[in-house]
Structures are given as C-alpha cells and as structure tokens.
Amino acid sequence: MSRCPGRSFSLSRFKTHFAKEVIQEILTKYLKDKEYKQIQAEILSKTIGSEIKNRIKDQYLDSRYKFMVQVVLGERHGAGIKVGARCVWDADTDTLAFDQFLNETIFCMAVVFAVYFY
C-alpha cells in the first residue's frame, strides 16, 4: 500500500462526497444567475477555483494531501468539449472529485485532485 516501504503513515482518506458537495455549492453560488461574458470568464473561473481549494484545505488542515483544482468555464453553444488531465497517481491514496454546472449560456466543470504526500 505504501510507496515508501518500511515507513508507517496514518492515512486520513479524502472524502470525495464532501468535495463534490463543496464543488456543487460553489458552482451554483457563482453561476446560477449568470450569463456568459468572455471578459468575466477568466476572473470568475479563478475565483471559483480558489474558493473550492480554500474550502477543501480548511477541512483537511492536518492532512498530508496536496490539492489541485481545475476549472473549465465556457460559453454554451451546443457543441461538445473534451477535457483531460495527467499526473503520477497512487491508486491506494490519491483520488479526485468533480462536478459540473450548466445553464442556458454557461458550462462549467471543476475537478479537485487530492494527491497524498508520504
């Protein structure tokens, strides 16, 4: 289970359901009554990402997890989009949580990657 043989560690598992709830709450808070405006998209996506990361970090203050948040925000035109990410992953400890938001003019997807440091 451990990447570092002979080294014991206490693992407090990352709760994906909690992170998903945080993502849903924040996406709804910032986007439910919004209309897509290109000028605001960059600031809005950074704000959403920062708030998600801060809320999750506050919950895991004594954790050895490193959190990374990716937010993809765009105008909804009916076309599809594919998003991908790669990283070195330990299937025993590392995980992710994600959710999406859609309204008439906006699509937004947010992912929280939780990577454990031994």
Side-chain angles (χ1 to χ4, degrees):
M1 179 171 161
S2 172
R3 284 189 283 201
C4 302
R7 184 186 268 183
S8 64
F9 64 95
S10 173
L11 176 61
S12 174
R13 299 291 283 173
F14 178 71
K15 295 172 181 66
T16 56
H17 64 280
F18 165 76
K20 186 171 176 121
E21 289 173 7
V22 168
I23 294 167
Q24 285 176 342
E25 179 186 325
I26 292 170
L27 291 180
T28 302
K29 172 184 168 182
Y30 282 97
L31 301 174
K32 74 175 180 174
D33 297 323
K34 291 272 193 238
E35 187 172 309
Y36 182 82
K37 292 186 174 86
Q38 184 178 2
I39 294 171
Q40 297 174 344
E42 180 181 357
I43 294 168
L44 192 54
S45 63
K46 286 180 180 179
T47 301
I48 289 168
S50 293
E51 187 161 335
I52 290 170
K53 186 175 181 180
N54 291 338
R55 287 269 305 275
I56 301 237
K57 282 177 75 173
D58 287 348
Q59 184 69 25
Y60 290 91
L61 284 177
D62 295 329
S63 173
R64 296 191 61 162
Y65 279 101
K66 167 80 173 171
F67 299 108
M68 294 154 282
V69 178
Q70 178 184 27
V71 176
V72 177
L73 176 73
E75 185 172 15
R76 194 166 173 199
H77 278 296
I81 185 171
K82 292 185 180 186
V83 177
R86 289 184 183 192
C87 64
V88 176
W89 199 257
D90 182 346
D92 291 333
T93 56
D94 303 340
T95 190
L96 62 89
F98 67 93
D99 203 7
Q100 66 181 2
F101 175 90
L102 298 170
N103 70 14
E104 293 297 316
T105 63
I106 295 174
F107 73 86
C108 186
M109 182 207 59
V111 183
V112 174
F113 297 94
V115 179
Y116 190 83
F117 277 94
Y118 290 92

